[in-house]
Amino acid sequence: MLSALGIDATSEAVYRAMLEQPGWAVAEIGAHLARSEAEVRAALDRLTELKLLRPKFSDPSILRPVSLDVGVQILLARREEEVRRAQEEFAAGQAAALEILEAQAAVGGSEHRYEELSSIEQVQDRLERLTHSCTRQLLSFHPGGAQPVAQLQASKPLDAALLRRGVAMRTLYQDSVRNDQDTFRYAQWLTESGGHVRTVPVLPVRMVLFDDVAALLPMDPDNTAVGAVQFSGPGVITALTALHAAVWEQAAPFGTDADRERDAGGVTAQERHMLKLLGEGMTDEVAARHLGIGVRTARRMMASLMERLGARSRFEAGRLAERRGWLS
């Protein structure tokens, strides 16, 4: 089995069938493996991504499998690269944790100040004021997947002014922004204009950090309409900046299919977070809100995971996922 090298069972079965019968079409492979044509085509896409299928020299429209020994070497090299990246991310996480501890030790009992902004108008005015005074960097978390169109329209001139002044912008969205056309286009514009955008499956809270001066966070993370709190003081700002840096190191650059990339067990980061959230007892509705996706999408994702695991209940799915190492 090649699952340890990052290829799922269906893709491996299709690959081996093509090695044995290189002339078979999609329908013939599906009939042989008792798989639907959609499953076979998805496997072909995955095999092409893994470089296990290549166009024929005589007819580039036809894909041919690389030999098994070459394929194993390709998968080994890919797995080695994944391990190397994981080691680098772990080292970055350690460094971020040390920064937090060192900063807290340095500031000791310094004063932490905060101010409540109890209306949307106050929040918008404060955002504009802090944006105009920002000179070095702006760091932000934008959870919830799709962002309100009105918020994107209000942010665009402010972001454009920051970028014209040479302020470094590091913006984090959730992977699910790829499902919303308006947010996706805004992220594209931000990237093309010189900002840096990355995505992760889940973000902890909505947050905007202005230089090393101030941070805006919602009073109620589940209802941003009730207002925000502005924090200042070196201790809390240092901690929030380190939090942003730690999440940033784990995030994928915008433009990559991060929500579709599968690990050695054939699981996406978004699917793993779905299993963890449901394992913590969250309902479909709450899990969907954390991932920034619709409830129907969350239920389809869970049904797909249960089918792949061969589970008849969510409890069994969690147990099987743990056994396979999907939650590690």
Side-chain angles (χ1 to χ4, degrees):
M1 296 292 291
L2 301 177
S3 59
L5 297 179
I7 180 171
D8 59 274
T10 299
S11 297
E12 180 179 352
V14 171
Y15 175 55
R16 291 184 181 276
M18 294 183 72
L19 287 172
E20 294 170 3
Q21 299 291 339
W24 274 359
V26 171
E28 293 170 309
I29 296 173
H32 175 69
L33 299 176
R35 299 283 202 282
S36 67
E37 289 195 17
E39 288 177 305
V40 174
R41 293 187 187 280
L44 292 174
D45 290 341
R46 178 61 175 160
L47 292 169
T48 302
E49 177 189 347
L50 292 171
K51 308 292 193 251
L52 298 182
L53 296 183
R54 295 174 180 172
K56 290 183 67 173
F57 291 106
S58 57
D59 186 352
S61 66
I62 298 176
L63 295 174
R64 64 179 181 86
V66 302
S67 62
L68 184 58
D69 57 336
V70 172
V72 168
Q73 292 300 318
I74 291 173
L75 293 174
L76 276 172
R78 183 185 180 94
R79 185 65 181 137
E80 288 174 358
E81 176 62 15
E82 290 173 350
V83 171
R84 183 190 64 78
R85 286 204 304 266
Q87 290 172 335
E88 290 178 349
E89 289 169 356
F90 179 77
Q94 282 184 314
L98 287 173
E99 284 183 13
I100 293 175
L101 295 174
E102 290 171 357
Q104 289 297 96
V107 300
S110 64
E111 182 183 1
H112 300 317
R113 299 177 296 278
Y114 73 92
E115 178 184 356
E116 293 185 358
L117 308 170
S118 56
S119 70
I120 293 295
E121 290 73 21
Q122 282 184 307
V123 174
Q124 187 61 35
D125 289 345
R126 187 59 53 87
L127 275 170
E128 291 181 4
R129 186 186 309 170
L130 290 171
T131 299
H132 288 311
S133 62
C134 186
T135 59
R136 190 172 62 83
Q137 69 174 4
L138 186 142
L139 312 175
S140 59
F141 287 159
H142 297 278
Q147 303 296 302
V149 175
Q151 181 177 308
L152 296 175
Q153 291 173 341
S155 298
K156 194 166 187 176
L158 299 176
D159 290 345
L162 285 167
L163 292 168
R164 282 196 299 271
R165 296 204 306 271
V167 175
M169 292 187 64
R170 291 189 173 185
T171 304
L172 276 158
Y173 291 110
Q174 290 186 229
D175 290 341
S176 53
V177 297
R178 293 169 173 79
N179 302 326
D180 180 70
Q181 193 175 46
D182 291 320
T183 313
F184 185 85
R185 286 178 176 172
Y186 191 85
Q188 280 185 315
W189 168 80
L190 197 57
T191 302
E192 292 166 357
S193 301
H196 302 281
V197 179
R198 293 187 180 183
T199 67
V200 288
V202 176
L203 284 169
V205 67
R206 188 172 298 277
M207 178 179 74
V208 187
L209 277 163
F210 302 87
D211 291 330
D212 298 321
V213 177
L216 286 182
L217 284 83
M219 287 186 185
D220 181 355
D222 294 325
N223 183 14
T224 55
V226 300
V229 178
Q230 177 179 325
F231 289 94
S232 56
V236 68
I237 296 300
T238 299
L240 292 173
T241 302
L243 171 63
H244 188 282
V247 179
W248 182 265
E249 288 298 327
Q250 302 293 329
F254 178 75
T256 62
D257 289 334
D259 54 342
R260 298 180 180 86
E261 288 183 359
R262 299 184 182 276
D263 62 13
V267 188
T268 67
Q270 195 175 59
E271 289 173 337
R272 183 180 298 102
H273 278 276
M274 167 64 81
L275 287 166
K276 288 180 179 178
L277 292 171
L278 294 175
E280 293 168 3
M282 293 187 183
T283 63
D284 289 338
E285 291 76 9
V286 176
R289 187 162 66 248
H290 274 267
L291 292 170
I293 59 178
V295 177
R296 290 184 180 179
T297 302
R299 287 173 178 162
R300 284 197 299 270
M301 186 186 301
M302 193 61 207
S304 172
L305 287 165
M306 290 176 65
E307 182 181 357
R308 283 153 55 192
L309 287 163
R312 289 169 292 184
S313 68
R314 295 190 176 196
F315 175 79
E316 186 181 13
R319 182 169 54 82
L320 292 173
E322 183 68 34
R323 184 180 299 171
R324 294 191 187 185
W326 287 11
L327 301 181
S328 59

